[in-house]
Amino acid sequence: MNAFPAQLESDRAVPPARQWLAVAVLSLCTFIVVTSEMLPVGVLTPMAEGLGTTPGTAGYSLTITGLVAAITAPVVPRLLGDFDRRAVVAVAMVLLAAGNALTALAQDFTLLVVSRTVLGIGMGVVWSLAAVIAPRLVTPRHAALAVSLAVSGVAAASVIGVPLGTLIGEAFGWRSAFGTLTASALLLAAALLIALPKLPKPAPTPDAAQTGGRPLLRTPAVVVGLTVVVFLVTAHFAAYTFIRPVLETSTGISAAAIAAVLLTYGVFGLIGNFTSGALAAKRSRATVLLLALGILVAVAVLALFSALAAVAVAAIVVWGLAYGGVSVAGQIWMTRSATGNEENATGLYVGVFNASIALGAFLGGTVFELAGMTPLLWTAAALAFIALTTGLLGPGPSTSTREEAPEKIPCPSP
């Protein structure tokens, strides 16, 4: 049995090049989605000036988008019915374009709230469906690689998207950066309709009986997986949001060196994404636990030895490698815990993931203001430890779901 949704019978004759082109378009969509979400970080100061508000207030635009996406993602799969999933994602990209266009035109914080709400809806739809659609586009033996590629757009947005958007903002103004994202989203909406086959509602599979017809939140492996994600993602964003102050105050390295370190973090995050996808295709639970351990060790080492520049950089590299794989490995855990109900499971997963991002940023800011950097790092380490312990003690995906890939999945260079 395959742990991913069965490939559509009508698509089995599609040439491999066409299959991977479709996956690439899907990956570009997640890239644009997350770049749109995170770009305010890179243009925050001029954006705040243009809106006549403070950087702190403008920064809430990320919280708005994340919370709207968190609400949208679990709801959308329940409302789709028999709609063609290809058309749904294309419409969502048009919504994303509209959100970016409204952001570019915004003159005050009120319109910014509206624009980021629209953007959050589009983001929730695309992110919740991308990992479910991807394995339907390729042969079953390449399903895990397709998911890794689709989700790689998330990591690539941090490494390439936000810096590139920031450069455009510096050269032509922050509104131009959002205008560029508007045009990109519209082009990808058209590309989805051209490159992807029609994708009707997935047919029920024999594996669906594995969940016994239980609601997702009454399926133990699903609950454990979500709990691990909540603690792990919250831990990450609580600490990583303030990684620049750690490096500035503890190591004393220059701003240029910090930029290079963060770029290195992003590159290793991409490597972690693909490596974890290949590993999770064989052992999803073990992979997630290994990633949790990596984040725990990296954050704890930073808390203990942040004054040693070489050690701090090594810890950040490990951190990037570990966290880069969380999204795809967690996704595979969820699909294997809710076989036959992948769309709803993925929507729930994306919703919880985005809510955890918002929670982590809020918790990190609160602890940082009240207690400082070292207590914040230990708080994040404690959360990662809870995630690891929960995953070790609770049930994982059913062993009756095949955890062995039919063939070795290649791990391409990002």
Side-chain angles (χ1 to χ4, degrees):
M1 284 175 233
N2 199 300
F4 293 93
Q7 184 189 23
L8 298 178
E9 292 293 335
S10 60
D11 298 332
R12 293 191 184 277
V14 175
R18 181 67 182 270
Q19 294 176 15
W20 291 112
L21 174 63
V23 174
V25 170
L26 203 58
S27 179
L28 286 172
C29 288
T30 61
F31 172 78
I32 292 298
V33 161
V34 178
T35 300
S36 299
E37 178 191 23
M38 301 301 296
L39 181 58
V41 172
V43 296
L44 195 59
T45 300
M47 184 177 176
E49 292 174 354
L51 297 172
T53 188
T54 64
T57 300
Y60 283 130
S61 59
L62 273 76
T63 304
I64 294 167
T65 307
L67 290 178
V68 172
I71 295 169
T72 302
V75 173
V76 168
R78 300 180 182 277
L79 302 178
L80 290 182
D82 295 326
F83 283 112
D84 179 4
R85 273 49 177 167
R86 174 188 63 171
V88 170
V89 177
V91 169
M93 290 301 293
V94 173
L95 276 177
L96 192 83
N100 280 315
L102 287 173
T103 301
L105 296 172
Q107 298 298 320
D108 54 35
F109 185 70
T110 301
L111 186 54
L112 180 66
V113 170
V114 174
S115 70
R116 299 298 286 185
T117 299
V118 173
L119 192 147
I121 295 172
M123 174 182 167
V125 175
V126 174
W127 198 350
S128 66
L129 290 180
V132 180
I133 289 175
R136 297 177 64 182
L137 301 174
V138 298
T139 55
R141 66 176 179 168
H142 291 137
L145 177 57
V147 174
S148 294
L149 284 168
V151 176
S152 69
V154 176
S158 298
V159 181
I160 302 171
V162 173
L164 182 59
T166 303
L167 287 175
I168 293 174
E170 289 293 326
F172 304 105
W174 68 272
R175 297 182 189 276
S176 297
F178 285 101
T180 301
L181 289 173
T182 300
S184 300
L186 290 174
L187 287 173
L188 285 171
L192 284 166
L193 297 176
I194 295 171
L196 271 64
K198 290 184 177 180
L199 297 166
K201 179 180 180 179
T205 68
D207 292 341
Q210 291 180 14
T211 61
R214 290 172 295 188
L216 289 173
L217 293 180
R218 294 181 62 187
T219 303
V222 170
V223 174
V224 170
L226 291 176
T227 303
V228 171
V229 165
V230 167
F231 282 104
L232 205 52
V233 174
T234 300
H236 169 77
F237 278 93
Y240 186 71
T241 301
F242 297 93
I243 192 62
R244 180 161 184 160
V246 170
L247 295 174
E248 286 175 337
T249 59
S250 299
T251 65
I253 61 178
S254 67
I258 290 174
V261 170
L262 295 181
L263 177 61
T264 302
Y265 166 91
V267 170
F268 275 88
L270 281 173
I271 295 172
N273 175 82
F274 287 105
T275 304
S276 297
L279 293 175
K282 300 178 180 180
R283 295 286 184 271
S284 57
R285 178 183 180 181
T287 302
V288 171
L289 295 179
L290 180 62
L291 298 176
L293 179 62
I295 293 173
L296 169 59
V297 170
V299 175
V301 167
L302 271 179
L304 290 169
F305 305 107
S306 59
L308 303 176
V311 176
V313 170
I316 289 172
V317 167
V318 172
W319 192 350
L321 192 64
Y323 184 75
V326 168
S327 182
V328 64
Q331 176 67 63
I332 293 174
W333 176 313
M334 291 298 292
T335 56
R336 287 183 165 163
S337 299
T339 308
N341 197 13
E342 290 87 358
E343 283 192 351
N344 287 324
T346 299
L348 181 60
Y349 172 75
V350 172
V352 167
F353 202 103
N354 277 280
S356 300
I357 292 173
L359 176 61
F362 175 78
L363 177 64
T366 302
V367 175
F368 181 75
E369 289 294 328
L370 293 177
M373 180 53 62
T374 300
L376 172 58
L377 291 173
W378 283 118
T379 299
L383 292 172
F385 177 77
I386 294 172
L388 177 62
T389 304
T390 302
L392 283 170
L393 299 180
S398 173
T399 54
S400 62
T401 298
R402 193 169 186 171
E403 285 272 75
E404 295 294 337
E407 291 185 18
K408 183 178 180 181
I409 297 173
C411 180
S413 299

